[in-house]
């Protein structure tokens, strides 16, 4: 039985975990960012001063043993904007109530994970109410995770202005991991917010196990415009350490021209490999689907690819 730790946030992480929970012979742990400050999550953060829970909620639903009507209800968003419950996810409200009832965000996650029969463990990277900042290449400083992609500028680095304490459980999970995966998702606002929590990089560096980066299929407007695969990896290395990535998984699928044209109009293009030689291994795999003319990672294909790597004899 191997301990597999996945680090990230956002919908990409949920897509990965929906497939990975089906892999046999692993203990699965998701370390999730709590830096989100937009939408329902941001409103709850400001009103109740508790960590951002939107990504945790998404992951919890993805890792539930069976995705039932109740997991669908967890993601139900009430109509409206900012009046009463308008704009809120039901799951966010439930987790808020449980946090207030138990007095602990971590205990609320554990309790509701049992209720949903979550396959694995969900750990926030920190229990603090934290704000993510970005320094752009021209020196502009942007405050707030939800604001960072809105600037037509290239990100130099992301950081916190305060010392951010990691959860003991996150450090322990990394220490005990047999495989570490950086999840699909927004590079600077889903993956990096976990890596720059104090102590996380040190723990990653001290564990010599294979570290896998599952690269995004498309560039993200406002965050990774024109980024190659190599630039994605370099950004992770810059926010952690040079040996942070051993294997990169990228797609070998190609969308139909009309789909690519639609994404180009939105400022997004396929992430390409620009060099022939790398200090890390690159695996090209069939990991996408194009249903409804959308370019999306396929949970079952991710399951097959990562299952093969995780359970290979050289791991």
């Amino acid at each position: 039985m191997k301990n597999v730790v996945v680090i990230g946030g956002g919908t990409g992480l949920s897509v990965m975990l929906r497939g990975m929970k089906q892999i046999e012979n692993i203990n699965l742990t998701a370390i999730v960012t709590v830096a989100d400050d937009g939408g329902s999550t941001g409103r709850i953060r400001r009103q109740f001063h508790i960590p951002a829970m939107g990504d945790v909620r998404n992951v919890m639903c993805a890792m539930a043993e069976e995705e039932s009507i109740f997991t669908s209800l967890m993601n139900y968003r009430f109509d409206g904007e900012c009046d009463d419950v308008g704009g809120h996810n039901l799951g966010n409200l439930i987790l808020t109530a449980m946090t207030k009832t138990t007095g602990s965000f971590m205990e609320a996650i554990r309790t509701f994970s049992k209720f949903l029969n979550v396959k694995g463990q969900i750990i926030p990277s920190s229990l603090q109410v934290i704000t993510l900042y970005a320094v752009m290449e021209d020196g502009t400083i942007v405050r707030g995770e939800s604001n960072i992609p809105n600037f037509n500028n290239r990100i130099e680095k992301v950081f916190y202005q305060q010392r951010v304490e990691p959860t003991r459980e996150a450090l322990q999970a990394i220490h005990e991991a047999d495989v570490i995966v950086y999840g699909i998702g927004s590079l600077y606002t889903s993956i990096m917010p976990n890596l720059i929590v104090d102590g996380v990089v040190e723990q990653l560096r001290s564990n010599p196990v294979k570290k896998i980066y599952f690269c995004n299929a498309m560039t993200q407007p406002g965050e990774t415009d024109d980024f190659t695969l190599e630039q994605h990896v370099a950004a992770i290395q810059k926010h952690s350490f040079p040996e942070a990535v051993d294997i990169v998984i990228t797609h070998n699928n190609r969308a139909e021209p009309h789909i690519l044209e639609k994404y180009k109009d939105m400022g997004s293009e396929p992430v390409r490999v620009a060099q022939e030689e790398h200090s890390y291994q690159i695996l090209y795999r069939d990991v996408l689907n194009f249903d409804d003319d959308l370019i999306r990672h396929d949970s079952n294909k991710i399951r097959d690819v990562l299952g093969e790597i995780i359970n290979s004899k050289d791991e």
Side-chain angles (χ1 to χ4, degrees):
M1 189 76 75
K2 292 187 177 179
N3 297 322
V4 179
V5 171
V6 188
I7 300 173
T11 55
L13 182 64
S14 297
V15 170
M16 290 190 70
L17 294 167
R18 189 168 283 112
M20 292 183 70
K21 71 182 180 184
Q22 304 173 51
I23 299 174
E24 296 182 355
N25 302 317
I26 68 168
N27 293 316
L28 184 60
T29 298
I31 296 177
V32 187
T33 176
V34 290
D36 187 11
D37 61 357
S40 169
T41 293
R43 288 167 57 196
I44 289 172
R45 261 176 51 130
R46 292 187 291 272
Q47 183 173 354
F48 296 99
H49 198 69
I50 56 180
M53 59 184 59
D55 288 344
V56 169
R57 183 202 75 246
N58 275 326
V59 165
M60 194 175 289
C61 293
M63 292 175 68
E65 184 169 13
E66 293 184 11
E67 294 188 57
S68 63
I69 182 63
F70 197 80
T71 54
S72 297
L73 283 173
M74 284 280 286
N75 288 322
Y76 175 79
R77 186 182 297 274
F78 292 95
D79 291 335
E81 294 298 325
C82 296
D83 297 330
D84 298 321
V85 298
H88 278 306
N89 289 97
L90 178 60
N92 287 354
L93 298 177
I94 293 173
L95 281 170
T96 300
M98 295 194 82
T99 300
K100 289 298 181 180
T101 300
T102 63
S104 165
F105 184 46
M106 187 70 82
E107 188 58 35
I109 294 170
R110 290 194 189 103
T111 301
F112 213 66
S113 292
K114 290 178 182 176
F115 179 78
L116 291 177
N117 201 14
V118 164
K119 296 191 69 176
Q121 188 176 193
I122 301 167
I123 303 172
S125 53
S126 177
L127 293 177
Q128 292 175 233
V129 179
I130 52 180
T131 299
L132 188 69
Y133 289 78
V135 178
M136 302 299 181
E137 281 190 347
D138 65 358
T140 301
I141 296 179
V142 181
R143 181 182 189 275
E145 183 266 356
S146 59
N147 293 322
I148 291 171
N150 297 330
F151 281 70
N152 186 21
N153 208 330
R154 187 170 285 255
I155 299 168
E156 180 68 24
K157 69 173 184 176
V158 292
F159 67 98
Y160 299 119
Q161 284 193 331
Q162 65 190 102
R163 174 175 172 79
V164 178
E165 293 287 342
T167 54
R168 175 182 54 81
E169 293 87 346
L171 295 185
Q172 182 177 354
I174 295 170
H175 175 73
E176 296 176 352
D178 297 304
V179 180
I180 294 168
V181 182
Y182 309 108
I184 307 163
S186 300
L187 184 63
Y188 288 101
T189 54
S190 290
I191 296 174
M192 303 308 189
N194 297 294
L195 299 185
I196 62 174
V197 171
D198 290 288
V200 169
V201 165
E202 290 75 14
Q203 201 62 249
L204 286 168
R205 193 199 302 266
S206 68
N207 189 340
V209 299
K210 284 286 188 294
K211 299 173 181 69
I212 303 166
Y213 173 46
F214 216 113
C215 191
N216 293 339
M218 305 294 291
T219 60
Q220 183 175 351
E223 193 159 329
T224 56
D225 298 277
D226 304 317
F227 263 41
T228 63
L229 177 144
E230 290 85 358
Q231 287 172 304
H232 280 77
V233 176
I236 292 174
Q237 293 169 330
K238 181 176 182 177
H239 285 78
S240 53
F241 59 102
E243 299 79 26
V245 177
D246 298 300
I247 300 172
V248 181
I249 299 172
T250 189
H251 63 282
N252 62 8
N253 318 67
R254 182 166 178 81
E256 294 293 329
H258 73 278
I259 301 177
L260 293 176
E261 193 63 33
K262 181 177 72 172
Y263 274 82
K264 185 177 180 180
D265 290 342
M266 295 186 291
S268 182
E269 61 184 8
V271 174
R272 60 187 176 86
V273 178
Q275 301 169 200
E276 291 185 3
E277 296 185 3
H278 305 84
S279 60
Y280 41 84
Q281 181 183 7
I282 298 180
L283 300 180
Y284 298 85
R285 295 291 187 270
D286 172 8
V287 292
L288 303 180
N289 70 53
F290 306 107
D291 296 341
D292 302 319
D293 284 352
L294 297 173
I295 300 173
R296 294 287 187 267
H297 280 89
D298 186 291
S299 296
N300 290 332
K301 292 179 179 180
I302 291 170
R303 172 200 64 202
D304 295 341
V305 170
L306 286 175
E308 175 188 346
I309 296 171
I310 290 167
N311 290 314
S312 63
K313 292 181 179 179
D314 61 345
E315 280 292 342

